[in-house]
Amino acid sequence: MRAFNRFHRRLGIGTRVADPRRAVVKAFGGEVMFALLKSLAAAVTGSSAMLAEAVHSWVSLVADCFRANAYLVALRPADAAHPLGYGRESYVWALFGSAGTFVFGAQIAIWRGIEQLHTREPVLGFFFGYLVLGSAFIAQLVSLIQALRFVRKKASTRGLGIVGHLLSTSDTLLRAVVTEDLLALFGLGIAAASMALHQLTGRAEFDGAGSIVIGTLMGIVGLYLIDMNRRFLAGVPLPPDLRARVIASFRQTPEIRRVTAFFAEYIGPEKILISARVELAGEHDQAELARLLRRLEARIMEHPNVGRATLSLSAPEESDLA
């Protein structure tokens, strides 16, 4: 079972856990068990497709270690050395995990599949292999359903559906969990079909082809997740619809008359940096203006998704944003 989903729910952004290390240990226990069972099944059956699934489990376990560290890093509060928090560092650790899926998992699975295309060795212990794959599939499916429920709850706060939230969220770790859960289900199905065709025909090419397909899928998913983490490390601004909603909320604030410049960028999972130039209502001396701006910034940062807000005064000749 992809136990990292449980870890995500217990250590997700915006939540607090009394003992994070204990949550990590419990979360990875189930994944280690299935990785061991798949490895044993690969040894018993000699199936390259089963071996690809075992490799996938071990690589996912290592990747989840990086992602677990990414979550713990993202939960650290901002300090003097990191006034924007540690959210962007979490993307680095998540990128390491995705790179492992691409570099190691995909290559080993494809290499073993190509090797078995030219062999005719018999595969033994089919029943044990099917039992392991079936158990893993059921546990994986339950885990994916739980993860999708978690995503749906997150998406409802943004007025989006599950797919829309996954495609646009700055929580690349959540995206990785769901994407790799789907990959795992496809991989288990492909491994079972490959073993069945090998058993029915006696041709190892089916088993080898299954391993190559699993490896190829791992490579595609790994590249996709690497690219998403790369984008957020480089800096991703708010999408136009969300940007417009934030600007509209500024204009609804009694103290703000105009918004002449606005910039917002993701600085971590579900955390944004906001910088804006505004014209304040009323007449104030310099000290009052400074205090009012600080109060507005503090009020904006009360929102759980705002990591930092900085406001400055607009010049009289600056035009209001459209």
Side-chain angles (χ1 to χ4, degrees), residues 2 28 31 55-68 93 96-98 100-101 104:
R2 288 279 300 173
F28 288 120
E31 194 165 0
V55 170
H56 183 198
S57 289
W58 287 114
V59 170
S60 294
L61 182 62
V62 174
D64 284 349
C65 289
F66 284 112
R67 292 178 188 131
W93 292 106
F96 288 160
S98 301
T101 300
F104 297 105

Side-chain angles (χ1 to χ4, degrees), residues 29 31 112 126 156 264:
E31 194 165 0
R112 180 63 180 123
F126 284 106
S156 64

Side-chain angles (χ1 to χ4, degrees), residues 2-228:
R2 288 279 300 173
F4 186 72
N5 284 341
R6 297 197 303 275
F7 177 73
H8 188 285
R9 292 195 304 277
R10 298 182 67 178
L11 288 184
I13 302 303
T15 64
R16 292 292 180 268
V17 180
D19 189 352
R21 292 179 178 82
R22 185 177 180 183
V24 172
V25 172
K26 287 184 177 181
F28 288 120
E31 194 165 0
V32 170
M33 179 186 70
F34 273 106
L36 289 171
L37 285 174
K38 289 179 184 178
S39 299
L40 179 60
V44 171
T45 63
S47 167
S48 60
M50 178 64 80
L51 178 61
E53 269 303 299
V55 170
H56 183 198
S57 289
W58 287 114
V59 170
S60 294
L61 182 62
V62 174
D64 284 349
C65 289
F66 284 112
R67 292 178 188 131
N69 188 66
Y71 265 100
L72 294 174
V73 167
L75 288 172
R76 294 170 64 183
D79 52 34
H82 298 83
L84 298 182
Y86 292 80
R88 280 207 170 109
E89 184 179 340
S90 71
Y91 293 135
V92 176
W93 292 106
L95 190 148
F96 288 160
S98 301
T101 300
F102 172 71
V103 174
F104 297 105
Q107 292 192 40
I108 292 174
I110 293 174
W111 167 77
R112 180 63 180 123
I114 293 174
E115 186 179 62
Q116 192 159 3
L117 288 176
H118 307 289
T119 63
R120 294 291 187 276
E121 78 265 18
V123 174
L124 305 175
F126 284 106
F127 177 77
F128 180 64
Y130 295 140
L131 181 62
V132 171
L133 289 174
S135 300
F137 188 90
I138 293 172
Q140 191 73 60
L141 183 61
V142 172
S143 183
L144 176 62
I145 292 172
Q146 293 173 339
L148 291 177
R149 287 175 180 169
F150 181 79
V151 175
R152 184 172 59 188
K153 185 182 298 184
K154 288 280 188 179
S156 64
T157 63
R158 299 177 55 194
L160 296 174
I162 291 176
V163 175
H165 180 73
L166 288 174
L167 291 176
S168 61
T169 181
S170 62
D171 190 347
T172 60
L173 302 168
L174 176 59
R175 183 185 293 109
V177 166
V178 177
T179 302
E180 292 202 1
D181 267 359
L182 289 171
L183 170 63
L185 287 174
F186 279 115
L188 290 166
I190 292 169
S194 300
M195 285 180 55
L197 289 171
H198 190 173
Q199 181 182 17
L200 292 173
T201 65
R203 299 180 64 88
E205 289 93 335
F206 290 109
D207 214 338
S211 182
I212 293 173
V213 172
I214 293 171
T216 301
L217 289 175
M218 290 176 67
I220 293 172
V221 168
L223 282 176
Y224 167 68
L225 295 176
I226 288 171
D227 182 62
M228 294 305 298

